[in-house]
Amino acid sequence: DTAVSQTPKYLVTQMGNDKSIKCEQNLGHDTMYWYKQDSKKFLKIMFSYNNKELIINETVPNRFSPKSPDKAHLNLHINSLELGDSAVYFCASSQELRAGELFFGEGSRLTVL
Amino acid sequence: GEDVEQSLFLSVREGDSSVINCTYTDSSSTYLYWYKQEPGAGLQLLTYIFSNMDMKQDQRLTVLLNKKDKHLSLRIADTQTGDSAIYFCAEARYYGGATNKLIFGTGTLLAVQP
């Protein structure tokens, strides 16, 4: 029974398209995150939500819009995709805001052509 | 700077000890973490250390913390081929209000030769 699940696992699309990645956690956690991992494996936080409220919003282009319909779900919508958006996007969750133990999904590999 | 630095690559033989090093930046970080990423998977927490400790041992894993130098290390005893992965250190950096954010290091690829 997967704790943090993301779909799709792979996404290949053309520049300029709009795409979404969905994330769900069944751990009962209050906080969810999106991280981006680039081709050099650098991992950087993009957003965090706590009980559906946006808490962390790093310097991310406006083309990226997270949405949390409830505390078990955090989706990421990306408009007008660019080549530089190609990366692996990881969803994660933690029990609370200050927790350092994050539970990660398996990642969604986005390739923009 | 903001970066949490690690060496890129470490190669060891099966049965040897591995030592992965990390230099972090925020002296006020209360917890420091080690995560493991296997190929094609997400990160998984291995262990953590509270900032008022110098050392923590957890089975084959030993974490050493030098607060003065902001240096963290992870020692894996009797390294096995299944330990081959990327290892990330992370510091919990205060963000604001009641929030920390985890800043991950640059990652160290550990290759274990049979």
Side-chain angles (χ1 to χ4, degrees), chain A:
Chain A
D1 205 20
T2 309
V4 181
S5 57
Q6 302 177 222
T7 53
K9 198 171 166 72
Y10 299 98
L11 196 49
V12 180
T13 189
Q14 301 284 339
M15 261 196 323
N17 284 350
D18 304 338
K19 289 293 175 189
S20 292
I21 308 170
K22 293 178 188 279
C23 178
E24 176 181 2
Q25 55 95 2
N26 63 6
L27 297 166
H29 287 167
D30 285 343
T31 310
M32 295 184 73
Y33 309 81
W34 279 110
Y35 277 84
K36 178 181 179 181
Q37 187 173 46
D38 65 20
S39 58
K40 293 183 179 169
K41 304 297 185 185
F42 295 152
L43 196 67
K44 195 156 183 189
I45 189 168
M46 300 171 72
F47 302 102
S48 79
Y49 271 74
N50 187 64
N51 279 319
K52 303 193 297 175
E53 182 188 346
L54 179 66
I55 301 295
I56 292 177
N57 184 354
E58 291 292 84
T59 311
V60 176
N62 290 343
R63 300 182 293 103
F64 289 79
S65 49
K67 279 193 173 51
S68 182
D70 55 63
K71 74 173 194 176
H73 295 84
L74 180 62
N75 303 324
L76 183 65
H77 187 76
I78 316 169
N79 289 329
S80 303
L81 278 155
E82 299 177 358
L83 293 177
D85 297 332
S86 295
V88 181
Y89 292 85
F90 285 99
C91 177
S93 72
S94 65
Q95 199 157 16
E96 56 190 23
L97 268 176
R98 292 184 72 94
E101 181 171 12
L102 269 55
F103 292 78
F104 281 81
E106 292 195 337
S108 298
R109 182 176 291 277
L110 171 65
T111 303
V112 182
L113 303 174

